[in-house]
Amino acid sequence: MTDALRMLYATLMVLSGVASVFGNLLLLLVLLLNKELRTDTLGLTLSFSLSDLALGLSTIPFGAYNSLAWPSCYPSEGAFCQGNGFIFLLLQTSSIHSLTWATVNKFTEICFALSYSSIWTAGRSRAVLVLVWLFCLVNAGLPLLGFGSYVYSESRFLCCPSFTPDNRYFVVLWMLVGIVAPILAMCSLYGYIVYVARKQARRGTFMCNELHCYYVPANNYLRSSIVMVTTSVCLLVCWLPYISVCLYETFSGQQSPAVTSALSAWLVLTSAALNPWITCMTQMYRTADTSGVPAPELRPPPGHSQSHQHDDNYCSNMPGVITKNTDTTMINAADTTTATTSTSSISSKTGQLLHLKRRTMPNPWK
């Protein structure tokens, strides 16, 4: 690799490191200052954010420095290189797995909204987090125990797993379980969410709680679909070259061109800078669900006083509206025959409770 390419590689690594540090620090600051984001799955978000932050402070500067200090290198058998390879593999795997389980949480919240609180509890979230880190520690520790090995790669300027035929069993195990499976899972879940979003956009949706409903415009679902597709593309662009190069070197026994190896390593480390933005983008899906146009107005039935305004179970008997305290639930406009008219209504046994008026600010118990 020429001096110009090494300088370019160092520059790209520095930019990725700065973006990773500032992006993840900003995400951590938002999580700490915004109490509404401190959910039971906060640990998963903190897990991949701290992993990416550590990558930006350790592995990425290490690669940038080595590219500028070439041709000096570190002995592969030395404790420094072995420790750096262990940290690199540990943080890389924990980041992608924590992000995957955070995606599973979002998928459950969107597609199983009514049973989400019973499926994804605080205890299960902590159990998932512990299992993720146990798996990552065991996986990163295997080369230190003789199953696989860490070496200094002169083309990547990093201490990383040895991608040679002698270590193919470890490489295949790590690639399939640690990298490929999580990426395929995330892309599949995003794809299904896009399918649901487009389906809901065609049918029309109202978001309802015990006080009022919101009409969710179709454009909100279409915008969220673009977000999910963009997220999947970013994951594939960052990881596919790295996976392809590593598998090629492992099974062919030949080294890839230095430029190709360096580019794939830079792309996969750049994912540490993109992950906080991926988190912000996927958060837009929830915002899209709750940013609909306020549509209906609630009126008390005859013989009832306004004291029912704070009754948590008061609207639970209304057809098409399911409530639990202040939670919000989706109903399809296609499921209520009068939802698309300007002055439609939903009736129950106790009388007419809900008047749907499009684009009218809610005024409970007027």
mmCIF file of all heavy atoms in Angstrom, residues 33-69:
data_model
loop_
_atom_site.group_PDB
_atom_site.id
_atom_site.type_symbol
_atom_site.label_atom_id
_atom_site.label_comp_id
_atom_site.label_asym_id
_atom_site.label_seq_id
_atom_site.Cartn_x
_atom_site.Cartn_y
_atom_site.Cartn_z
ATOM 1 N N LEU A 33 -30.631 12.573 29.953
ATOM 2 C CA LEU A 33 -31.412 13.782 30.219
ATOM 3 C C LEU A 33 -32.905 13.594 29.962
ATOM 4 O O LEU A 33 -33.718 14.302 30.559
ATOM 5 C CB LEU A 33 -30.892 14.943 29.365
ATOM 6 C CG LEU A 33 -29.456 15.411 29.651
ATOM 7 C CD1 LEU A 33 -29.084 16.564 28.740
ATOM 8 C CD2 LEU A 33 -29.304 15.816 31.121
ATOM 9 N N ASN A 34 -33.247 12.664 29.078
ATOM 10 C CA ASN A 34 -34.652 12.448 28.737
ATOM 11 C C ASN A 34 -35.190 11.245 29.512
ATOM 12 O O ASN A 34 -34.892 10.102 29.190
ATOM 13 C CB ASN A 34 -34.797 12.213 27.231
ATOM 14 C CG ASN A 34 -36.238 12.330 26.768
ATOM 15 O OD1 ASN A 34 -37.175 12.156 27.566
ATOM 16 N ND2 ASN A 34 -36.431 12.623 25.504
ATOM 17 N N LYS A 35 -35.990 11.521 30.520
ATOM 18 C CA LYS A 35 -36.510 10.436 31.354
ATOM 19 C C LYS A 35 -37.488 9.543 30.601
ATOM 20 O O LYS A 35 -37.670 8.382 30.965
ATOM 21 C CB LYS A 35 -37.191 11.029 32.587
ATOM 22 C CG LYS A 35 -36.236 11.769 33.527
ATOM 23 C CD LYS A 35 -36.969 12.290 34.753
ATOM 24 C CE LYS A 35 -35.993 13.016 35.697
ATOM 25 N NZ LYS A 35 -36.687 13.539 36.896
ATOM 26 N N GLU A 36 -38.138 10.074 29.567
ATOM 27 C CA GLU A 36 -39.107 9.281 28.822
ATOM 28 C C GLU A 36 -38.440 8.130 28.064
ATOM 29 O O GLU A 36 -39.100 7.163 27.699
ATOM 30 C CB GLU A 36 -39.854 10.178 27.841
ATOM 31 C CG GLU A 36 -40.723 11.236 28.523
ATOM 32 C CD GLU A 36 -41.449 12.099 27.515
ATOM 33 O OE1 GLU A 36 -41.231 11.877 26.293
ATOM 34 O OE2 GLU A 36 -42.216 12.977 27.922
ATOM 35 N N LEU A 37 -37.148 8.239 27.799
ATOM 36 C CA LEU A 37 -36.427 7.188 27.075
ATOM 37 C C LEU A 37 -35.846 6.123 28.000
ATOM 38 O O LEU A 37 -35.270 5.152 27.523
ATOM 39 C CB LEU A 37 -35.302 7.806 26.236
ATOM 40 C CG LEU A 37 -35.739 8.792 25.148
ATOM 41 C CD1 LEU A 37 -34.517 9.353 24.432
ATOM 42 C CD2 LEU A 37 -36.682 8.132 24.157
ATOM 43 N N ARG A 38 -35.996 6.303 29.294
ATOM 44 C CA ARG A 38 -35.438 5.330 30.246
ATOM 45 C C ARG A 38 -36.425 4.191 30.455
ATOM 46 O O ARG A 38 -37.115 4.094 31.463
ATOM 47 C CB ARG A 38 -35.116 6.015 31.574
ATOM 48 C CG ARG A 38 -34.097 7.135 31.444
ATOM 49 C CD ARG A 38 -33.872 7.811 32.786
ATOM 50 N NE ARG A 38 -33.083 9.030 32.654
ATOM 51 C CZ ARG A 38 -32.814 9.856 33.651
ATOM 52 N NH1 ARG A 38 -33.277 9.586 34.869
ATOM 53 N NH2 ARG A 38 -32.112 10.949 33.444
ATOM 54 N N THR A 39 -36.522 3.326 29.471
ATOM 55 C CA THR A 39 -37.431 2.193 29.527
ATOM 56 C C THR A 39 -36.699 0.977 30.097
ATOM 57 O O THR A 39 -35.520 1.044 30.464
ATOM 58 C CB THR A 39 -37.960 1.880 28.125
ATOM 59 O OG1 THR A 39 -36.849 1.540 27.272
ATOM 60 C CG2 THR A 39 -38.676 3.106 27.539
ATOM 61 N N ASP A 40 -37.420 -0.141 30.120
ATOM 62 C CA ASP A 40 -36.816 -1.376 30.630
ATOM 63 C C ASP A 40 -35.680 -1.873 29.732
ATOM 64 O O ASP A 40 -34.848 -2.658 30.179
ATOM 65 C CB ASP A 40 -37.894 -2.470 30.735
ATOM 66 C CG ASP A 40 -38.917 -2.144 31.817
ATOM 67 O OD1 ASP A 40 -38.584 -1.367 32.729
ATOM 68 O OD2 ASP A 40 -40.050 -2.656 31.733
ATOM 69 N N THR A 41 -35.673 -1.443 28.483
ATOM 70 C CA THR A 41 -34.634 -1.878 27.549
ATOM 71 C C THR A 41 -33.514 -0.845 27.421
ATOM 72 O O THR A 41 -32.740 -0.902 26.464
ATOM 73 C CB THR A 41 -35.255 -2.129 26.153
ATOM 74 O OG1 THR A 41 -35.915 -0.924 25.717
ATOM 75 C CG2 THR A 41 -36.265 -3.256 26.218
ATOM 76 N N LEU A 42 -33.435 0.064 28.352
ATOM 77 C CA LEU A 42 -32.360 1.060 28.315
ATOM 78 C C LEU A 42 -30.989 0.395 28.356
ATOM 79 O O LEU A 42 -30.031 0.877 27.748
ATOM 80 C CB LEU A 42 -32.516 2.026 29.483
ATOM 81 C CG LEU A 42 -31.440 3.102 29.641
ATOM 82 C CD1 LEU A 42 -31.419 4.023 28.428
ATOM 83 C CD2 LEU A 42 -31.657 3.895 30.925
ATOM 84 N N GLY A 43 -30.882 -0.738 29.058
ATOM 85 C CA GLY A 43 -29.603 -1.430 29.171
ATOM 86 C C GLY A 43 -29.057 -1.872 27.819
ATOM 87 O O GLY A 43 -27.843 -1.810 27.578
ATOM 88 N N LEU A 44 -29.934 -2.317 26.906
ATOM 89 C CA LEU A 44 -29.478 -2.735 25.582
ATOM 90 C C LEU A 44 -28.945 -1.553 24.787
ATOM 91 O O LEU A 44 -27.908 -1.655 24.114
ATOM 92 C CB LEU A 44 -30.635 -3.405 24.824
ATOM 93 C CG LEU A 44 -31.093 -4.758 25.363
ATOM 94 C CD1 LEU A 44 -32.366 -5.200 24.664
ATOM 95 C CD2 LEU A 44 -30.001 -5.809 25.185
ATOM 96 N N THR A 45 -29.641 -0.430 24.875
ATOM 97 C CA THR A 45 -29.168 0.765 24.172
ATOM 98 C C THR A 45 -27.831 1.233 24.731
ATOM 99 O O THR A 45 -26.913 1.593 23.983
ATOM 100 C CB THR A 45 -30.211 1.887 24.274
ATOM 101 O OG1 THR A 45 -31.480 1.413 23.811
ATOM 102 C CG2 THR A 45 -29.794 3.092 23.450
ATOM 103 N N LEU A 46 -27.713 1.232 26.050
ATOM 104 C CA LEU A 46 -26.444 1.604 26.670
ATOM 105 C C LEU A 46 -25.336 0.623 26.294
ATOM 106 O O LEU A 46 -24.180 1.013 26.136
ATOM 107 C CB LEU A 46 -26.595 1.655 28.192
ATOM 108 C CG LEU A 46 -27.462 2.784 28.764
ATOM 109 C CD1 LEU A 46 -27.593 2.632 30.270
ATOM 110 C CD2 LEU A 46 -26.872 4.145 28.422
ATOM 111 N N SER A 47 -25.688 -0.641 26.133
ATOM 112 C CA SER A 47 -24.698 -1.668 25.824
ATOM 113 C C SER A 47 -24.024 -1.407 24.483
ATOM 114 O O SER A 47 -22.794 -1.346 24.398
ATOM 115 C CB SER A 47 -25.359 -3.054 25.822
ATOM 116 O OG SER A 47 -24.432 -4.054 25.449
ATOM 117 N N PHE A 48 -24.824 -1.246 23.423
ATOM 118 C CA PHE A 48 -24.176 -1.043 22.124
ATOM 119 C C PHE A 48 -23.600 0.365 21.991
ATOM 120 O O PHE A 48 -22.623 0.575 21.277
ATOM 121 C CB PHE A 48 -25.125 -1.372 20.955
ATOM 122 C CG PHE A 48 -26.229 -0.392 20.708
ATOM 123 C CD1 PHE A 48 -25.990 0.823 20.105
ATOM 124 C CD2 PHE A 48 -27.536 -0.717 21.033
ATOM 125 C CE1 PHE A 48 -27.015 1.718 19.845
ATOM 126 C CE2 PHE A 48 -28.569 0.165 20.780
ATOM 127 C CZ PHE A 48 -28.303 1.387 20.186
ATOM 128 N N SER A 49 -24.166 1.325 22.711
ATOM 129 C CA SER A 49 -23.605 2.670 22.652
ATOM 130 C C SER A 49 -22.236 2.721 23.330
ATOM 131 O O SER A 49 -21.278 3.315 22.796
ATOM 132 C CB SER A 49 -24.562 3.668 23.307
ATOM 133 O OG SER A 49 -24.061 4.973 23.218
ATOM 134 N N LEU A 50 -22.104 2.092 24.482
ATOM 135 C CA LEU A 50 -20.819 2.061 25.178
ATOM 136 C C LEU A 50 -19.796 1.218 24.407
ATOM 137 O O LEU A 50 -18.595 1.541 24.395
ATOM 138 C CB LEU A 50 -21.004 1.521 26.593
ATOM 139 C CG LEU A 50 -21.765 2.435 27.561
ATOM 140 C CD1 LEU A 50 -22.020 1.732 28.886
ATOM 141 C CD2 LEU A 50 -20.992 3.736 27.787
ATOM 142 N N SER A 51 -20.261 0.140 23.773
ATOM 143 C CA SER A 51 -19.348 -0.677 22.959
ATOM 144 C C SER A 51 -18.798 0.126 21.795
ATOM 145 O O SER A 51 -17.591 0.095 21.503
ATOM 146 C CB SER A 51 -20.078 -1.926 22.452
ATOM 147 O OG SER A 51 -20.473 -2.759 23.521
ATOM 148 N N ASP A 52 -19.670 0.852 21.104
ATOM 149 C CA ASP A 52 -19.221 1.669 19.977
ATOM 150 C C ASP A 52 -18.322 2.810 20.443
ATOM 151 O O ASP A 52 -17.357 3.183 19.759
ATOM 152 C CB ASP A 52 -20.427 2.224 19.226
ATOM 153 C CG ASP A 52 -21.238 1.142 18.530
ATOM 154 O OD1 ASP A 52 -20.655 0.083 18.243
ATOM 155 O OD2 ASP A 52 -22.435 1.345 18.291
ATOM 156 N N LEU A 53 -18.650 3.366 21.602
ATOM 157 C CA LEU A 53 -17.802 4.430 22.151
ATOM 158 C C LEU A 53 -16.406 3.898 22.472
ATOM 159 O O LEU A 53 -15.392 4.561 22.189
ATOM 160 C CB LEU A 53 -18.450 5.012 23.408
ATOM 161 C CG LEU A 53 -17.686 6.120 24.128
ATOM 162 C CD1 LEU A 53 -17.500 7.333 23.224
ATOM 163 C CD2 LEU A 53 -18.409 6.518 25.412
ATOM 164 N N ALA A 54 -16.344 2.703 23.049
ATOM 165 C CA ALA A 54 -15.045 2.102 23.354
ATOM 166 C C ALA A 54 -14.260 1.780 22.086
ATOM 167 O O ALA A 54 -13.031 1.925 22.047
ATOM 168 C CB ALA A 54 -15.249 0.836 24.189
ATOM 169 N N LEU A 55 -14.948 1.345 21.029
ATOM 170 C CA LEU A 55 -14.269 1.112 19.753
ATOM 171 C C LEU A 55 -13.677 2.408 19.210
ATOM 172 O O LEU A 55 -12.563 2.429 18.677
ATOM 173 C CB LEU A 55 -15.249 0.529 18.733
ATOM 174 C CG LEU A 55 -15.517 -0.977 18.793
ATOM 175 C CD1 LEU A 55 -16.632 -1.347 17.825
ATOM 176 C CD2 LEU A 55 -14.252 -1.765 18.462
ATOM 177 N N GLY A 56 -14.433 3.499 19.345
ATOM 178 C CA GLY A 56 -13.953 4.779 18.872
ATOM 179 C C GLY A 56 -12.783 5.322 19.665
ATOM 180 O O GLY A 56 -12.019 6.155 19.161
ATOM 181 N N LEU A 57 -12.628 4.861 20.896
ATOM 182 C CA LEU A 57 -11.540 5.341 21.752
ATOM 183 C C LEU A 57 -10.333 4.410 21.767
ATOM 184 O O LEU A 57 -9.257 4.808 22.236
ATOM 185 C CB LEU A 57 -12.044 5.533 23.186
ATOM 186 C CG LEU A 57 -13.065 6.651 23.405
ATOM 187 C CD1 LEU A 57 -13.607 6.611 24.828
ATOM 188 C CD2 LEU A 57 -12.454 8.015 23.100
ATOM 189 N N SER A 58 -10.498 3.171 21.279
ATOM 190 C CA SER A 58 -9.405 2.202 21.377
ATOM 191 C C SER A 58 -8.977 1.672 20.012
ATOM 192 O O SER A 58 -7.888 1.991 19.519
ATOM 193 C CB SER A 58 -9.816 1.041 22.297
ATOM 194 O OG SER A 58 -10.972 0.391 21.779
ATOM 195 N N THR A 59 -9.811 0.874 19.385
ATOM 196 C CA THR A 59 -9.411 0.180 18.163
ATOM 197 C C THR A 59 -9.205 1.131 16.993
ATOM 198 O O THR A 59 -8.228 1.001 16.234
ATOM 199 C CB THR A 59 -10.469 -0.873 17.794
ATOM 200 O OG1 THR A 59 -10.644 -1.775 18.907
ATOM 201 C CG2 THR A 59 -10.042 -1.670 16.574
ATOM 202 N N ILE A 60 -10.112 2.078 16.802
ATOM 203 C CA ILE A 60 -10.004 2.974 15.649
ATOM 204 C C ILE A 60 -8.740 3.847 15.723
ATOM 205 O O ILE A 60 -7.997 3.938 14.737
ATOM 206 C CB ILE A 60 -11.279 3.821 15.513
ATOM 207 C CG1 ILE A 60 -12.483 2.913 15.231
ATOM 208 C CG2 ILE A 60 -11.129 4.849 14.403
ATOM 209 C CD1 ILE A 60 -13.804 3.635 15.101
ATOM 210 N N PRO A 61 -8.438 4.498 16.853
ATOM 211 C CA PRO A 61 -7.162 5.248 16.915
ATOM 212 C C PRO A 61 -5.936 4.355 16.754
ATOM 213 O O PRO A 61 -4.921 4.779 16.188
ATOM 214 C CB PRO A 61 -7.214 5.884 18.313
ATOM 215 C CG PRO A 61 -8.653 5.934 18.668
ATOM 216 C CD PRO A 61 -9.256 4.721 18.049
ATOM 217 N N PHE A 62 -6.033 3.118 17.252
ATOM 218 C CA PHE A 62 -4.933 2.165 17.105
ATOM 219 C C PHE A 62 -4.644 1.900 15.631
ATOM 220 O O PHE A 62 -3.481 1.893 15.193
ATOM 221 C CB PHE A 62 -5.298 0.869 17.834
ATOM 222 C CG PHE A 62 -4.235 -0.192 17.788
ATOM 223 C CD1 PHE A 62 -3.074 -0.073 18.535
ATOM 224 C CD2 PHE A 62 -4.400 -1.310 16.989
ATOM 225 C CE1 PHE A 62 -2.095 -1.058 18.483
ATOM 226 C CE2 PHE A 62 -3.440 -2.295 16.936
ATOM 227 C CZ PHE A 62 -2.280 -2.164 17.684
ATOM 228 N N GLY A 63 -5.707 1.689 14.835
ATOM 229 C CA GLY A 63 -5.523 1.460 13.409
ATOM 230 C C GLY A 63 -4.976 2.676 12.693
ATOM 231 O O GLY A 63 -4.123 2.560 11.793
ATOM 232 N N ALA A 64 -5.460 3.869 13.067
ATOM 233 C CA ALA A 64 -4.959 5.094 12.437
ATOM 234 C C ALA A 64 -3.478 5.299 12.736
ATOM 235 O O ALA A 64 -2.689 5.652 11.842
ATOM 236 C CB ALA A 64 -5.783 6.292 12.913
ATOM 237 N N TYR A 65 -3.076 5.081 13.976
ATOM 238 C CA TYR A 65 -1.664 5.256 14.356
ATOM 239 C C TYR A 65 -0.770 4.255 13.630
ATOM 240 O O TYR A 65 0.305 4.611 13.122
ATOM 241 C CB TYR A 65 -1.517 5.097 15.865
ATOM 242 C CG TYR A 65 -0.076 5.049 16.319
ATOM 243 C CD1 TYR A 65 0.676 6.220 16.441
ATOM 244 C CD2 TYR A 65 0.543 3.829 16.615
ATOM 245 C CE1 TYR A 65 2.004 6.183 16.838
ATOM 246 C CE2 TYR A 65 1.861 3.779 17.014
ATOM 247 C CZ TYR A 65 2.594 4.957 17.125
ATOM 248 O OH TYR A 65 3.903 4.910 17.518
ATOM 249 N N ASN A 66 -1.201 2.997 13.542
ATOM 250 C CA ASN A 66 -0.378 1.972 12.897
ATOM 251 C C ASN A 66 -0.186 2.246 11.416
ATOM 252 O O ASN A 66 0.878 1.948 10.850
ATOM 253 C CB ASN A 66 -1.016 0.595 13.088
ATOM 254 C CG ASN A 66 -0.953 0.123 14.524
ATOM 255 O OD1 ASN A 66 -0.105 0.568 15.294
ATOM 256 N ND2 ASN A 66 -1.857 -0.772 14.888
ATOM 257 N N SER A 67 -1.225 2.804 10.770
ATOM 258 C CA SER A 67 -1.082 3.099 9.346
ATOM 259 C C SER A 67 -0.066 4.210 9.112
ATOM 260 O O SER A 67 0.628 4.221 8.082
ATOM 261 C CB SER A 67 -2.436 3.492 8.748
ATOM 262 O OG SER A 67 -2.917 4.688 9.335
ATOM 263 N N LEU A 68 0.030 5.153 10.040
ATOM 264 C CA LEU A 68 1.004 6.231 9.904
ATOM 265 C C LEU A 68 2.401 5.804 10.334
ATOM 266 O O LEU A 68 3.398 6.348 9.849
ATOM 267 C CB LEU A 68 0.560 7.440 10.739
ATOM 268 C CG LEU A 68 -0.752 8.116 10.309
ATOM 269 C CD1 LEU A 68 -1.122 9.230 11.265
ATOM 270 C CD2 LEU A 68 -0.628 8.651 8.877
ATOM 271 N N ALA A 69 2.485 4.834 11.254
ATOM 272 C CA ALA A 69 3.782 4.380 11.770
ATOM 273 C C ALA A 69 4.367 3.238 10.955
ATOM 274 O O ALA A 69 5.381 2.667 11.351
ATOM 275 C CB ALA A 69 3.630 3.939 13.224
#
